[in-house]
């Protein structure tokens, strides 16, 4: 089985800087993305990933697959504390703690789980004006036993700044991050605040990114696949990466990135593929959200 590497989480931060009693939470750097799988296809894919050694799963209310992911976790025979489960909630729950708690309890019920290891605000939805309050509610819920840590997703530096000014530090900001759209300004804002960056769409949906000569050249030299080179680029720089695959062989390939290293020159070569600017956006979190 591939050796997994994990990072410590600060997700139990509460406003006065103390931790709420669960400071030892660690997050495996490589997790399985589960969108857009649902139903039996999703349960089968997650089951094969757990068999292959994955110990981190990324689901969300919006994917409609918390039930399918939960079934695979429960059916795996693994102890619950051996698997790190992240979920995310939609805009309708943003608000005071009772509201976020209602969304969380419904999600846990769907998943058939007693708790999530990490629970994220999926999009800030600034038009609603409650993305800071949603974080305050998550802080209150951390330590109830229903979530072990909390974080955000798709928060731009300006959104994160509002959260920090309220005295709150998310454990994770999950963002679109891949070599052609790396968002270094968001990564830097996260790092400066002590927030771990988690990369979604980490291999660019397996499309033209994996045919870039800069990547295929490194892959041939190392006897690795292009996807492995890109995933290694993420984890070697301390990012969580959440590649989705329904295919057992690609799942194993994507997980097997802890037994080789990229050189500093390789890292710089992959870094150089990013030609996006801070104003470029696939889905602008000031406009889009759910
Ligand atoms: N927070 C958010 O707003 C947000 C937004 C989008 C996604 N996400 C999360 O991030 C996860 C991953 O992102 P994503 O699904 O957009 O993109 P991705 O993981 O970069 O790419 C997935 C695609 O790549 C293919 N693939 C997987 N491994 C491969 C390999 N080794 N070689 C070639 N192709 C490969 C998959 O096909 P097969 O299945 O056939 O292998 C699938 O079509 C999602 O599943 C979801 O959990 C979060």
């Amino acid at each position: 089985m591939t050796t997994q590497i994990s990072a410590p989480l600060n997700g139990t931060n509460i406003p006065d800087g103390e931790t709420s009693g669960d400071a030892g939470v660690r997050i495996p750097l490589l997790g399985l993305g589960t969108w857009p799988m649902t139903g039996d296809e999703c349960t089968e894919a997650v089951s094969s990933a757990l068999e292959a050694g994955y110990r981190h799963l990324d689901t969300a209310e919006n994917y409609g697959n918390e039930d399918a992911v939960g079934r695979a976790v429960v059916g795996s025979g693994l102890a619950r504390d051996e698997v790190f489960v992240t979920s995310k909630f939609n805009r309708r729950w943003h608000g005071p703690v009772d509201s976020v708690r209602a969304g969380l309890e419904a999600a846990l019920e769907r998943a058939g789980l007693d708790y999530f290891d990490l629970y994220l605000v999926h999009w800030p939805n600034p038009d609603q004006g409650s993305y800071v309050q949603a974080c305050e509610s998550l802080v209150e819920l951390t330590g109830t036993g229903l979530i072990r840590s909390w974080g955000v997703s798709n928060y731009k530096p300006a959104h994160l700044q509002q959260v920090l000014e309220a005295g709150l530090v998310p454990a994770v900001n999950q963002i679109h991050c891949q070599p052609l759209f790396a968002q270094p300004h968001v990564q830097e804002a996260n790092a400066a605040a002590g927030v771990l960056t988690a990369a979604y769409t980490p291999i660019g949906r397996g499309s033209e990114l994996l045919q870039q000569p800069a990547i295929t050249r490194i892959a041939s030299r190392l006897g690795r696949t292009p996807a492995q080179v890109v995933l290694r680029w993420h984890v070697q720089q301390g990012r969580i990466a959440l590649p989705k695959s329904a295919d057992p062989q690609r799942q194993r390939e994507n997980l097997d990135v802890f037994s080789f290293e990229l050189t500093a020159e390789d890292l710089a070569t992959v870094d150089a593929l990013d030609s996006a600017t801070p104003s470029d956006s696939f889905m602008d979190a000031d406009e889009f959200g759910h």
Side-chain angles (χ1 to χ4, degrees), residues 20-228:
S20 57
D22 207 3
V25 182
R26 294 188 70 87
I27 185 166
L29 284 187
L30 207 293
L32 183 77
T34 64
W35 175 86
M37 301 183 287
T38 55
D40 290 346
E41 183 211 6
C42 182
T43 301
E44 278 166 33
V46 174
S47 300
S48 82
L50 291 171
E51 232 165 83
Y54 283 75
R55 291 296 179 266
H56 177 178
L57 308 169
D58 182 70
T59 179
E61 172 184 14
N62 210 56
Y63 305 164
N65 65 12
E66 289 166 312
D67 56 346
V69 170
R71 271 198 300 278
V73 172
V74 172
S76 69
L78 292 164
R80 175 64 188 86
D81 64 5
E82 288 183 64
V83 186
F84 191 103
V85 182
T86 299
S87 195
K88 323 182 189 77
F89 60 98
N90 283 344
R91 58 184 279 145
R92 70 180 171 128
W93 308 108
H94 291 199
V97 67
D98 287 349
S99 175
V100 177
R101 186 180 185 118
L104 169 59
E105 286 176 345
L108 289 169
E109 173 94 30
R110 284 191 294 275
L113 299 175
D114 294 333
Y115 65 89
F116 291 127
D117 296 275
L118 176 63
Y119 201 43
L120 307 178
V121 187
H122 203 149
W123 288 87
N125 296 286
D127 63 305
Q128 251 187 187
S130 49
Y131 63 84
V132 175
Q133 190 184 30
C135 293
E136 283 163 355
S137 297
L138 285 174
V139 171
E140 278 194 59
L141 289 168
T142 304
T144 59
L146 299 178
I147 54 175
R148 295 182 72 216
S149 57
W150 68 277
V152 299
S153 179
N154 297 299
Y155 275 41
K156 292 178 169 182
H159 305 135
L160 182 61
Q161 189 55 35
Q162 296 296 313
V163 176
L164 297 173
E165 280 173 17
L168 312 174
V169 186
V172 167
N173 188 7
Q174 187 186 120
I175 59 166
H176 187 164
C177 180
Q178 47 124 326
L180 302 177
F181 191 73
Q183 306 209 76
H185 63 294
V186 185
Q187 291 190 53
E188 280 157 25
N190 291 343
V195 176
L196 266 179
T197 296
Y200 75 69
T201 315
I203 54 170
R205 302 216 161 129
S207 60
E208 82 267 24
L209 168 69
L210 301 182
Q211 277 130 46
Q212 295 279 329
I215 289 173
T216 56
R217 265 198 299 271
I218 297 171
S220 314
R221 195 191 82 235
L222 295 173
R224 294 282 167 172
T225 67
Q228 287 176 320

